Amino acid sequence: MRKSLYFRFCKYRHILSSLYFNVHYLGWKQGLKLPIIFMSPIKFRDMKGKILLKGDVHHGQIAIGIPGNEMFDYSTKCIWSNQGGTVEFEGSFGTNPGASFVIRKDAILRIGNRSSLGQNLRILCSKEISIGDELLGSWDVTIMDTDSHYFDVDGKLSEFSNRISIGNHCFIGSGASILKGTQIADNVVIASRAVVSGKLLESGAMYAGVPAKIKKHNIKYLK
């Protein structure tokens, strides 16, 4: 009962931030439904670009800063910085306090239906990040499709950014990093602290290590 009451309190404690955000991106008609709610403090750094909602648009469809693991502070501030990109939510999505979203100009961030990620999520989208349905992520996960710098590799200039694609029904363990150019198949498990870069194309496999490599086969997470 106490948790239920606290959740209700969190849904409305930052209602002014939620209202401002929804009306800014969705207009009055859709924005007043408050389909996007902030349940922990939020810092707005850039409010450019656009947001697209798909599916049944309803109150609380997207919840940012949901009180989660009791090891973390429920009031850790989230950060939103859309510098001129597009964010597409395919359905419902939730993340816990401390989430940071940076979407650069002309970038595209797609997040699948019924996906959720834990505390201190960091998403940096410079080109394109596509996340499938039913992704479950633990805390301190980083997903970034850019190095934010160029490097000289054997006399050749490295790629600045490269698309990330994460399949359906995947699990990402705590502290894992998903880096530019990554392609992950459906039903893949990423172990804690893994650093993922490249094509992980075997469905139903567990990848672990730095860089991440197959460690187990015929595995998937259960809800």
Side-chain angles (χ1 to χ4, degrees):
M1 173 64 80
R2 289 182 179 178
K3 187 174 182 179
S4 176
L5 290 174
Y6 184 71
F7 267 52
R8 291 183 184 181
F9 168 70
C10 287
K11 285 180 69 175
Y12 297 104
R13 67 187 298 194
H14 303 291
I15 191 169
L16 293 180
S17 295
S18 299
L19 181 62
Y20 167 70
F21 187 89
N22 280 269
V23 171
H24 175 82
Y25 277 109
L26 305 175
W28 285 100
K29 184 176 180 181
Q30 195 173 55
L32 287 176
K33 295 180 181 179
L34 293 180
I36 303 169
I37 60 173
F38 297 102
M39 299 177 69
S40 63
I42 177 75
K43 170 72 173 180
F44 299 130
R45 288 186 175 166
D46 297 281
M47 294 285 285
K48 299 176 183 177
K50 59 184 177 179
I51 290 178
L52 302 177
L53 300 181
K54 298 183 179 180
D56 176 27
V57 177
H58 57 274
H59 175 71
Q61 175 181 341
I62 312 299
I64 309 297
I66 305 169
N69 195 307
E70 60 272 22
M71 293 189 299
F72 296 90
D73 188 345
Y74 290 165
S75 62
T76 303
K77 186 176 291 185
C78 296
I79 295 173
W80 177 269
S81 178
N82 188 338
Q83 300 162 11
T86 299
V87 181
E88 300 179 6
F89 292 104
E90 302 290 336
S92 62
F93 171 72
T95 188
N96 299 128
S100 176
F101 298 86
V102 177
I103 305 96
R104 291 183 172 157
K105 186 178 180 181
D106 299 325
I108 300 174
L109 171 62
R110 298 186 184 92
I111 300 179
N113 188 27
R114 299 187 301 278
S115 290
S116 63
L117 288 135
Q119 285 86 353
N120 304 321
L121 165 69
R122 301 174 188 88
I123 292 181
L124 171 54
C125 183
S126 180
K127 186 173 185 179
E128 183 177 352
I129 296 175
S130 181
I131 295 171
D133 296 339
E134 296 183 332
L135 172 73
L136 179 61
S138 189
W139 57 81
D140 293 328
V141 169
T142 298
I143 304 173
M144 53 187 291
D145 67 352
T146 180
D147 294 327
S148 293
H149 300 279
Y150 288 106
F151 294 92
D152 186 318
V153 183
D154 295 327
K156 295 182 180 180
L157 207 59
S158 66
E159 287 184 301
F160 190 82
S161 302
N162 200 352
R163 181 177 185 268
I164 290 176
S165 175
I166 302 173
N168 298 319
H169 200 79
C170 292
F171 177 87
I172 303 177
S174 60
S177 296
I178 313 299
L179 305 181
K180 72 174 189 180
T182 293
Q183 183 179 347
I184 300 176
D186 295 342
N187 300 306
V188 163
V189 173
I190 305 298
S192 296
R193 302 296 176 185
V195 176
V196 183
S197 178
K199 296 182 178 181
L200 282 55
L201 301 181
E202 182 175 328
S203 181
M206 173 187 280
Y207 293 81
V210 182
K213 297 181 180 180
I214 291 180
K215 299 297 181 180
K216 294 183 179 181
H217 304 270
N218 301 315
I219 185 172
K220 65 179 180 180
Y221 85 83
L222 303 176
K223 283 194 170 183

